[in-house]
Amino acid sequence: MTFVTRFAPSPTGPLHLGHAYSAMLAHDMARAENGNFLLRIEDIDQSRARTHWENQIYDDLRWLGVTWDGPVIRQSENTAAYSHALDILWDKGLLYQCDCKRRDILDAAQAPQEGAPAHGPDGLIYPGTCRHTHPRIGPRPETVALRLDLSAAIAQIETPLTYSETGKNDGQIQVTNPMQTIGDIVLARRDMGTSYHLSVVVDDAAQGVTHIIRGADLAEATGIHVVLQHLLDLPTPIYQHHRLIRDDAGKRLAKRDDARAISKYRAEGAKPNDIRQMVGLPPAP
Ligand code: GLU
């Protein structure tokens, strides 16, 4: 089986050292395995995606010596595939319309009988307010937020919810207590008609990705991705969640962290191998 991995940046800001590490690590592994390295632009949030950031990504990656195989996929051009996946889940009776605002969720989660509010991959675990307020029959409603009814979804899954993580005993990791750690996640946002979790799962499968190499900040999201792979009958790739690159104060780098932008190091005369050294990678072969 050919090793296929990908780098999937969102064009909403400059590439910084953390992105460069992720891209170079995945790229080095693909080249060492004689596999494929794909580039996918995750631009479903059209209110934040910008063409100039996308162009800067291409330019910075080329400069770093990161080359990709095949055409670049842009998620904004793939919305039909996400709609199709939502239809499958809707037809299984697993999606429901949610009208809650952020404030409603916070209030409900903080109600005294709820105990301390729990957090999942998207922030507060949804307290289930809208779970039974809208009918789940007829055509799938559009331009509304749709959540996954997680306990109903899990009841429909017959195979064990596990995945392999390289470096972690190469063993099977179990998705544990999904209702407490994930909850009813939004799969279609009102403004986008999809979500990060849904599109990433659909695209990784469509692109034949065998290995997902990404930051430890996304490890929490893997549980919901595995649930979606089971529901949509898609294969589960092998995961590797790498350490995060932090600033001098130990904080992980954010998109707005222009001080660590690759373009800034370039402008100051750094060479690609200097960047590799900064993130702890050996010089380019
Ligand atoms: N688009 C995501 C990001 O920029 C990465 C998605 C992934 O690797 O699964 O953080």
Side-chain angles (χ1 to χ4, degrees), residues 6-12 19 22 40-43 75 196 200-201 204 212-215 217-218 221 225 239 255:
R6 48 52 163 195
F7 177 54
S10 302
T12 55
H19 301 108
S22 212
R40 184 169 73 227
I41 300 292
E42 302 217 319
D43 59 350
Q75 288 192 320
Y196 158 64
V200 91
V201 162
D204 282 330
I212 294 187
I213 299 152
R214 61 183 180 191
D217 52 334
L218 289 169
H225 297 177
Y239 287 87
K255 265 276 155 59

mmCIF file of all heavy atoms in Angstrom, residues 6-12 19 22 40-43 75 196 200-201 204 212-215 217-218 221 225 239 255, ligand 1:
data_model
loop_
_atom_site.group_PDB
_atom_site.id
_atom_site.type_symbol
_atom_site.label_atom_id
_atom_site.label_comp_id
_atom_site.label_asym_id
_atom_site.label_seq_id
_atom_site.Cartn_x
_atom_site.Cartn_y
_atom_site.Cartn_z
ATOM 1 N N ARG A 6 -0.651 14.154 4.009
ATOM 2 C CA ARG A 6 -1.053 15.473 3.498
ATOM 3 C C ARG A 6 -0.733 16.571 4.499
ATOM 4 O O ARG A 6 -0.555 16.324 5.701
ATOM 5 C CB ARG A 6 -2.539 15.489 3.123
ATOM 6 C CG ARG A 6 -3.570 14.924 4.105
ATOM 7 C CD ARG A 6 -3.533 15.429 5.448
ATOM 8 N NE ARG A 6 -4.706 15.208 6.254
ATOM 9 C CZ ARG A 6 -4.923 15.860 7.395
ATOM 10 N NH1 ARG A 6 -4.052 16.711 7.875
ATOM 11 N NH2 ARG A 6 -5.999 15.626 8.105
ATOM 12 N N PHE A 7 -0.677 17.793 3.971
ATOM 13 C CA PHE A 7 -0.616 18.977 4.823
ATOM 14 C C PHE A 7 -1.869 19.761 4.462
ATOM 15 O O PHE A 7 -2.187 19.915 3.287
ATOM 16 C CB PHE A 7 0.665 19.768 4.514
ATOM 17 C CG PHE A 7 0.798 21.051 5.293
ATOM 18 C CD1 PHE A 7 0.720 21.052 6.685
ATOM 19 C CD2 PHE A 7 1.029 22.263 4.641
ATOM 20 C CE1 PHE A 7 0.850 22.237 7.406
ATOM 21 C CE2 PHE A 7 1.163 23.444 5.354
ATOM 22 C CZ PHE A 7 1.075 23.433 6.734
ATOM 23 N N ALA A 8 -2.602 20.222 5.491
ATOM 24 C CA ALA A 8 -3.933 20.793 5.215
ATOM 25 C C ALA A 8 -4.107 22.148 5.901
ATOM 26 O O ALA A 8 -4.888 22.266 6.840
ATOM 27 C CB ALA A 8 -4.995 19.795 5.680
ATOM 28 N N PRO A 9 -3.381 23.160 5.451
ATOM 29 C CA PRO A 9 -3.472 24.462 6.128
ATOM 30 C C PRO A 9 -4.739 25.232 5.764
ATOM 31 O O PRO A 9 -5.312 25.025 4.692
ATOM 32 C CB PRO A 9 -2.236 25.205 5.609
ATOM 33 C CG PRO A 9 -2.019 24.630 4.243
ATOM 34 C CD PRO A 9 -2.458 23.202 4.307
ATOM 35 N N SER A 10 -5.155 26.105 6.663
ATOM 36 C CA SER A 10 -6.250 27.035 6.369
ATOM 37 C C SER A 10 -5.617 28.372 5.984
ATOM 38 O O SER A 10 -4.764 28.865 6.726
ATOM 39 C CB SER A 10 -7.131 27.228 7.601
ATOM 40 O OG SER A 10 -7.639 25.979 8.001
ATOM 41 N N PRO A 11 -6.021 28.958 4.869
ATOM 42 C CA PRO A 11 -5.368 30.200 4.411
ATOM 43 C C PRO A 11 -5.934 31.423 5.123
ATOM 44 O O PRO A 11 -6.498 32.323 4.499
ATOM 45 C CB PRO A 11 -5.677 30.215 2.909
ATOM 46 C CG PRO A 11 -6.979 29.493 2.801
ATOM 47 C CD PRO A 11 -7.037 28.485 3.913
ATOM 48 N N THR A 12 -5.777 31.431 6.424
ATOM 49 C CA THR A 12 -6.361 32.519 7.219
ATOM 50 C C THR A 12 -5.288 33.327 7.942
ATOM 51 O O THR A 12 -5.597 34.110 8.832
ATOM 52 C CB THR A 12 -7.358 31.945 8.255
ATOM 53 O OG1 THR A 12 -6.663 30.959 9.026
ATOM 54 C CG2 THR A 12 -8.552 31.294 7.597
ATOM 55 N N HIS A 19 3.478 25.420 11.596
ATOM 56 C CA HIS A 19 3.006 24.847 10.324
ATOM 57 C C HIS A 19 4.175 24.253 9.540
ATOM 58 O O HIS A 19 4.063 23.195 8.939
ATOM 59 C CB HIS A 19 2.359 25.915 9.441
ATOM 60 C CG HIS A 19 1.206 26.608 10.053
ATOM 61 N ND1 HIS A 19 1.254 27.906 10.476
ATOM 62 C CD2 HIS A 19 -0.050 26.182 10.321
ATOM 63 C CE1 HIS A 19 0.091 28.250 10.972
ATOM 64 N NE2 HIS A 19 -0.723 27.219 10.893
ATOM 65 N N SER A 22 5.092 20.889 10.838
ATOM 66 C CA SER A 22 4.109 19.886 10.446
ATOM 67 C C SER A 22 4.290 19.484 8.972
ATOM 68 O O SER A 22 4.310 18.297 8.630
ATOM 69 C CB SER A 22 2.718 20.496 10.632
ATOM 70 O OG SER A 22 1.799 19.543 10.990
ATOM 71 N N ARG A 40 -3.654 20.248 0.736
ATOM 72 C CA ARG A 40 -5.094 20.563 0.687
ATOM 73 C C ARG A 40 -5.318 21.893 1.386
ATOM 74 O O ARG A 40 -4.866 22.094 2.515
ATOM 75 C CB ARG A 40 -5.868 19.453 1.386
ATOM 76 C CG ARG A 40 -7.368 19.640 1.293
ATOM 77 C CD ARG A 40 -8.108 18.419 1.747
ATOM 78 N NE ARG A 40 -8.061 18.244 3.176
ATOM 79 C CZ ARG A 40 -7.782 17.090 3.796
ATOM 80 N NH1 ARG A 40 -7.515 15.999 3.099
ATOM 81 N NH2 ARG A 40 -7.771 17.023 5.105
ATOM 82 N N ILE A 41 -6.004 22.776 0.715
ATOM 83 C CA ILE A 41 -6.273 24.093 1.283
ATOM 84 C C ILE A 41 -7.638 24.041 1.979
ATOM 85 O O ILE A 41 -8.665 23.829 1.323
ATOM 86 C CB ILE A 41 -6.242 25.186 0.182
ATOM 87 C CG1 ILE A 41 -4.858 25.225 -0.504
ATOM 88 C CG2 ILE A 41 -6.629 26.543 0.740
ATOM 89 C CD1 ILE A 41 -3.709 25.705 0.386
ATOM 90 N N GLU A 42 -7.639 24.223 3.292
ATOM 91 C CA GLU A 42 -8.882 24.084 4.063
ATOM 92 C C GLU A 42 -9.525 25.464 4.211
ATOM 93 O O GLU A 42 -9.316 26.161 5.209
ATOM 94 C CB GLU A 42 -8.581 23.419 5.400
ATOM 95 C CG GLU A 42 -7.933 22.048 5.171
ATOM 96 C CD GLU A 42 -8.344 20.969 6.137
ATOM 97 O OE1 GLU A 42 -8.452 21.249 7.336
ATOM 98 O OE2 GLU A 42 -8.573 19.828 5.680
ATOM 99 N N ASP A 43 -10.289 25.821 3.197
ATOM 100 C CA ASP A 43 -10.839 27.182 3.108
ATOM 101 C C ASP A 43 -12.361 27.208 3.177
ATOM 102 O O ASP A 43 -12.998 28.015 2.506
ATOM 103 C CB ASP A 43 -10.347 27.854 1.811
ATOM 104 C CG ASP A 43 -10.766 27.075 0.575
ATOM 105 O OD1 ASP A 43 -11.259 25.929 0.724
ATOM 106 O OD2 ASP A 43 -10.625 27.594 -0.544
ATOM 107 N N GLN A 75 -10.963 22.992 -0.389
ATOM 108 C CA GLN A 75 -12.231 22.504 0.181
ATOM 109 C C GLN A 75 -13.427 23.320 -0.287
ATOM 110 O O GLN A 75 -14.526 22.790 -0.404
ATOM 111 C CB GLN A 75 -12.145 22.496 1.710
ATOM 112 C CG GLN A 75 -11.241 21.389 2.218
ATOM 113 C CD GLN A 75 -11.356 21.153 3.698
ATOM 114 O OE1 GLN A 75 -11.468 22.108 4.461
ATOM 115 N NE2 GLN A 75 -11.311 19.904 4.115
ATOM 116 N N TYR A 196 -15.315 21.743 9.912
ATOM 117 C CA TYR A 196 -13.959 21.184 9.817
ATOM 118 C C TYR A 196 -13.998 19.658 9.926
ATOM 119 O O TYR A 196 -13.419 18.951 9.106
ATOM 120 C CB TYR A 196 -13.068 21.800 10.921
ATOM 121 C CG TYR A 196 -11.875 20.948 11.244
ATOM 122 C CD1 TYR A 196 -10.885 20.724 10.274
ATOM 123 C CD2 TYR A 196 -11.750 20.312 12.472
ATOM 124 C CE1 TYR A 196 -9.799 19.908 10.542
ATOM 125 C CE2 TYR A 196 -10.664 19.496 12.750
ATOM 126 C CZ TYR A 196 -9.694 19.291 11.786
ATOM 127 O OH TYR A 196 -8.632 18.467 12.045
ATOM 128 N N VAL A 200 -12.861 17.286 6.728
ATOM 129 C CA VAL A 200 -11.541 16.664 6.825
ATOM 130 C C VAL A 200 -11.660 15.139 6.666
ATOM 131 O O VAL A 200 -10.852 14.504 5.983
ATOM 132 C CB VAL A 200 -10.874 17.105 8.155
ATOM 133 C CG1 VAL A 200 -11.168 16.183 9.291
ATOM 134 C CG2 VAL A 200 -9.397 17.297 8.015
ATOM 135 N N VAL A 201 -12.706 14.582 7.253
ATOM 136 C CA VAL A 201 -12.901 13.127 7.170
ATOM 137 C C VAL A 201 -13.252 12.719 5.728
ATOM 138 O O VAL A 201 -12.701 11.762 5.185
ATOM 139 C CB VAL A 201 -14.013 12.706 8.171
ATOM 140 C CG1 VAL A 201 -14.573 11.345 7.856
ATOM 141 C CG2 VAL A 201 -13.469 12.754 9.597
ATOM 142 N N ASP A 204 -9.982 13.295 3.489
ATOM 143 C CA ASP A 204 -8.885 12.348 3.721
ATOM 144 C C ASP A 204 -9.216 11.001 3.072
ATOM 145 O O ASP A 204 -8.344 10.367 2.481
ATOM 146 C CB ASP A 204 -8.622 12.176 5.231
ATOM 147 C CG ASP A 204 -7.839 13.363 5.798
ATOM 148 O OD1 ASP A 204 -7.049 13.978 5.042
ATOM 149 O OD2 ASP A 204 -8.018 13.692 6.985
ATOM 150 N N ILE A 212 -2.096 10.334 8.806
ATOM 151 C CA ILE A 212 -2.370 11.736 9.134
ATOM 152 C C ILE A 212 -1.341 12.175 10.160
ATOM 153 O O ILE A 212 -1.288 11.635 11.265
ATOM 154 C CB ILE A 212 -3.809 11.897 9.657
ATOM 155 C CG1 ILE A 212 -4.771 11.575 8.514
ATOM 156 C CG2 ILE A 212 -4.023 13.305 10.223
ATOM 157 C CD1 ILE A 212 -6.214 11.840 8.789
ATOM 158 N N ILE A 213 -0.517 13.139 9.758
ATOM 159 C CA ILE A 213 0.539 13.643 10.643
ATOM 160 C C ILE A 213 0.174 15.090 10.929
ATOM 161 O O ILE A 213 0.152 15.930 10.023
ATOM 162 C CB ILE A 213 1.908 13.527 9.932
ATOM 163 C CG1 ILE A 213 2.184 12.051 9.629
ATOM 164 C CG2 ILE A 213 3.023 14.146 10.780
ATOM 165 C CD1 ILE A 213 3.049 11.817 8.431
ATOM 166 N N ARG A 214 -0.193 15.385 12.157
ATOM 167 C CA ARG A 214 -0.648 16.731 12.489
ATOM 168 C C ARG A 214 -0.364 17.009 13.958
ATOM 169 O O ARG A 214 0.001 16.107 14.714
ATOM 170 C CB ARG A 214 -2.139 16.886 12.172
ATOM 171 C CG ARG A 214 -3.016 15.936 12.947
ATOM 172 C CD ARG A 214 -4.484 16.074 12.535
ATOM 173 N NE ARG A 214 -5.339 15.170 13.277
ATOM 174 C CZ ARG A 214 -6.593 14.931 12.986
ATOM 175 N NH1 ARG A 214 -7.163 15.529 11.958
ATOM 176 N NH2 ARG A 214 -7.317 14.100 13.707
ATOM 177 N N GLY A 215 -0.575 18.260 14.360
ATOM 178 C CA GLY A 215 -0.188 18.694 15.698
ATOM 179 C C GLY A 215 -1.013 18.044 16.803
ATOM 180 O O GLY A 215 -2.172 17.650 16.606
ATOM 181 N N ASP A 217 -2.452 19.414 19.068
ATOM 182 C CA ASP A 217 -3.666 20.176 19.380
ATOM 183 C C ASP A 217 -4.889 19.575 18.699
ATOM 184 O O ASP A 217 -6.020 19.859 19.091
ATOM 185 C CB ASP A 217 -3.502 21.659 18.978
ATOM 186 C CG ASP A 217 -3.051 21.837 17.538
ATOM 187 O OD1 ASP A 217 -2.399 20.925 16.980
ATOM 188 O OD2 ASP A 217 -3.360 22.886 16.949
ATOM 189 N N LEU A 218 -4.677 18.743 17.668
ATOM 190 C CA LEU A 218 -5.815 18.142 16.972
ATOM 191 C C LEU A 218 -6.095 16.711 17.443
ATOM 192 O O LEU A 218 -7.021 16.064 16.950
ATOM 193 C CB LEU A 218 -5.589 18.181 15.457
ATOM 194 C CG LEU A 218 -5.689 19.596 14.868
ATOM 195 C CD1 LEU A 218 -5.208 19.628 13.424
ATOM 196 C CD2 LEU A 218 -7.126 20.113 14.954
ATOM 197 N N ALA A 221 -9.593 15.928 18.429
ATOM 198 C CA ALA A 221 -10.592 15.837 17.354
ATOM 199 C C ALA A 221 -10.625 14.445 16.736
ATOM 200 O O ALA A 221 -11.585 14.081 16.055
ATOM 201 C CB ALA A 221 -10.280 16.871 16.275
ATOM 202 N N HIS A 225 -13.498 12.159 14.505
ATOM 203 C CA HIS A 225 -13.190 11.760 13.130
ATOM 204 C C HIS A 225 -13.370 10.247 12.957
ATOM 205 O O HIS A 225 -13.909 9.793 11.949
ATOM 206 C CB HIS A 225 -11.767 12.202 12.750
ATOM 207 C CG HIS A 225 -11.614 13.697 12.761
ATOM 208 N ND1 HIS A 225 -10.438 14.351 12.528
ATOM 209 C CD2 HIS A 225 -12.523 14.683 12.990
ATOM 210 C CE1 HIS A 225 -10.622 15.666 12.614
ATOM 211 N NE2 HIS A 225 -11.890 15.878 12.896
ATOM 212 N N TYR A 239 -2.730 7.564 12.634
ATOM 213 C CA TYR A 239 -2.518 8.949 13.095
ATOM 214 C C TYR A 239 -1.158 9.113 13.748
ATOM 215 O O TYR A 239 -0.632 8.182 14.365
ATOM 216 C CB TYR A 239 -3.615 9.345 14.088
ATOM 217 C CG TYR A 239 -4.953 9.573 13.419
ATOM 218 C CD1 TYR A 239 -5.830 8.511 13.195
ATOM 219 C CD2 TYR A 239 -5.312 10.833 12.961
ATOM 220 C CE1 TYR A 239 -7.041 8.710 12.548
ATOM 221 C CE2 TYR A 239 -6.524 11.041 12.322
ATOM 222 C CZ TYR A 239 -7.377 9.979 12.118
ATOM 223 O OH TYR A 239 -8.582 10.182 11.472
ATOM 224 N N LYS A 255 -2.046 31.507 14.805
ATOM 225 C CA LYS A 255 -2.021 32.061 13.443
ATOM 226 C C LYS A 255 -1.540 33.498 13.433
ATOM 227 O O LYS A 255 -0.801 33.937 12.577
ATOM 228 C CB LYS A 255 -3.427 32.029 12.863
ATOM 229 C CG LYS A 255 -3.716 30.804 12.009
ATOM 230 C CD LYS A 255 -3.230 30.984 10.588
ATOM 231 C CE LYS A 255 -2.936 29.673 9.884
ATOM 232 N NZ LYS A 255 -4.044 28.789 9.788
HETATM 233 N N1 GLU B 1 -6.843 22.862 8.661
HETATM 234 C C1 GLU B 1 -6.386 22.479 9.945
HETATM 235 C C2 GLU B 1 -5.496 23.574 10.512
HETATM 236 O O1 GLU B 1 -5.018 24.417 9.777
HETATM 237 C C3 GLU B 1 -5.594 21.175 9.950
HETATM 238 C C4 GLU B 1 -6.439 20.012 9.693
HETATM 239 C C5 GLU B 1 -5.817 18.652 9.926
HETATM 240 O O2 GLU B 1 -4.595 18.489 9.775
HETATM 241 O O3 GLU B 1 -6.573 17.732 10.207
HETATM 242 O O4 GLU B 1 -5.291 23.592 11.704
#
